[in-house]
Amino acid sequence: MSLFLFKRVLTLIATLIATSVIVFLVLEVLPGNAAQMLMGPDASPDAVAALATKLGLDQPAWARYWHWAGGLLTGDLGNSYAYGSPVSDLLLERLSLTIPLAVMAMLFTTVLALIVGVTAAARHNKLGDVGLMGLAQVGIAIPNFWFAILLILVFSVKLQWFSAGGFDGWGEGIGAGLKALLLPALSLGVVQAAILARITRSAVLEVMREDFVRTARAKGVTQRAVLWRHVLRNAMIPVITVMGLQFSELLAGTIVVENVFYLPGLGKLIFQSIANRDLIVVRNCVMLLAAMVVIVNFVVDVLYAVIDPRLKASDL
């Protein structure tokens, strides 16, 4: 296990370094000039050049990369061109909404997918299985932004149970904050649950054919106990793999959903920063999302060994 963790930590560090280089280079080749965007189209070339010097945009690319990478290690992410405030403060403020939103969506995804997937597998080739998988197929075909609009029409416009958008912050109380994030989390989680439910069903059906399952049933263990105590745990490796990928997709999906619900989260910040050509914010936001994806994959790899101790470091 120690060797396995050592290899995975080295891979994590190397991946983060490579990701930082790619993120910097991709944003570097984009057309446009941040100083020109801030000064406006009517600004004189001298004024634009002076602002570019102040912002450090006149330095060579390699110098700006080392300055940025060093800031990532020390927590100094620089100041936003458009907002004039530290980027780290902007990220922390927006993450206080985006992270709870993604976690809520992942909880909906996991609970709904496990219930649907295991139930469908227990009723294999029966009406319940066909019906649940049919609903899952419909869920896969639905874009999350369209489902978000549908939720707004039903629960905000027609029933008026929830606000159509906006977020007043956690100062109004945890209950009010969670209520404001409920519809966005559902729009993200339900669509992802449809995919995970099909993966869960396939994994459970495969494990149900194993000899130990027949032995447990022969000993008189109930079908429910066999499914939830024995089969599901052994079927969790492919399920956890997809869950890790889906959490990464949920983080990226917040960019669209937050704009649909007018939520001041990380997705909204990225959208506004791209429009303002505030590349220092965009670069740090993209790097943060990429780092989250890499870290989630690292956690998934560690969970493999926890769930199934038979796996060796050389196998992973």
Side-chain angles (χ1 to χ4, degrees):
M1 179 63 73
S2 299
L3 178 60
F4 164 68
L5 288 177
F6 179 72
K7 288 182 177 180
R8 279 294 173 261
V9 170
L10 288 181
T11 303
L12 173 67
I13 295 173
T15 305
L16 289 176
I17 294 174
T19 301
S20 68
V21 174
I22 294 173
V23 169
F24 182 85
L25 292 178
V26 168
L27 294 179
E28 192 68 18
V29 299
L30 291 178
N33 185 290
Q36 184 70 61
M37 290 288 294
L38 292 174
M39 295 294 293
D42 299 329
S44 65
D46 292 338
V48 173
L51 181 60
T53 302
K54 180 180 179 181
L55 298 176
L57 300 177
D58 59 332
Q59 298 178 2
W62 65 266
R64 283 184 281 116
Y65 171 77
W66 284 117
H67 182 267
W68 174 60
L72 291 177
L73 296 176
T74 61
D76 181 12
L77 305 182
N79 293 327
S80 166
Y81 303 151
Y83 295 93
S85 57
V87 177
S88 57
D89 293 344
L90 291 174
L91 293 181
L92 290 175
E93 179 184 356
R94 303 306 179 97
L95 283 175
S96 65
L97 184 148
T98 299
I99 293 297
L101 174 59
V103 171
M104 285 180 63
M106 196 69 233
L107 288 176
F108 287 136
T109 297
T110 303
V111 173
L112 186 58
L114 292 182
I115 293 175
V116 172
V118 174
T119 302
R123 293 163 174 78
H124 182 48
N125 287 335
K126 296 181 180 179
L127 183 61
D129 180 22
V130 175
L132 289 174
M133 288 301 98
L135 290 175
Q137 190 64 38
V138 173
I140 294 174
I142 296 177
N144 53 22
F145 70 87
W146 184 87
F147 190 56
I149 296 173
L150 182 63
L151 290 177
I152 292 174
L153 290 175
V154 174
F155 293 101
S156 299
V157 178
K158 297 293 184 182
L159 300 178
Q160 297 184 357
W161 290 353
F162 298 92
S163 172
F167 184 75
D168 296 330
W170 298 105
E172 300 295 327
I174 296 179
L178 294 178
K179 183 179 179 180
L181 297 181
L182 183 59
L183 291 185
L186 281 174
S187 66
L188 287 169
V190 171
V191 174
Q192 295 294 331
I195 302 173
L196 188 60
R198 295 184 66 88
I199 301 297
T200 303
R201 173 183 176 273
S202 300
V204 170
L205 286 176
E206 184 176 351
V207 175
M208 287 176 65
R209 301 186 183 100
E210 299 291 337
D211 292 336
F212 76 90
V213 176
R214 289 191 289 269
T215 301
R217 287 178 175 173
K219 291 182 178 180
V221 182
T222 63
Q223 183 180 10
R224 176 175 295 182
V226 169
L227 283 172
W228 293 100
R229 295 181 185 177
H230 303 284
V231 174
L232 185 59
R233 178 175 179 179
N234 288 276
M236 283 303 291
I237 287 183
V239 175
I240 287 179
T241 302
V242 177
M243 287 173 61
L245 296 174
Q246 285 189 321
F247 187 72
S248 305
E249 292 181 8
L250 289 174
L251 290 171
T254 58
I255 296 177
V256 177
V257 171
E258 285 177 2
N259 281 280
V260 173
F261 286 94
Y262 297 99
L263 298 175
L266 191 63
K268 189 74 172 180
L269 177 63
I270 294 175
F271 184 80
Q272 293 172 338
S273 299
I274 292 174
N276 294 332
R277 188 66 184 178
D278 198 351
L279 287 187
I280 190 170
V281 175
V282 177
R283 182 181 296 127
N284 284 289
C285 288
V286 173
M287 185 61 202
L288 177 61
L289 290 175
M292 287 181 178
V293 172
V294 174
I295 292 172
V296 167
N297 290 332
F298 170 77
V299 173
V300 169
D301 286 344
V302 174
L303 287 177
Y304 285 165
V306 174
I307 293 175
D308 192 348
R310 297 173 300 174
L311 297 175
K312 298 179 181 179
S314 58
D315 299 329
L316 298 172

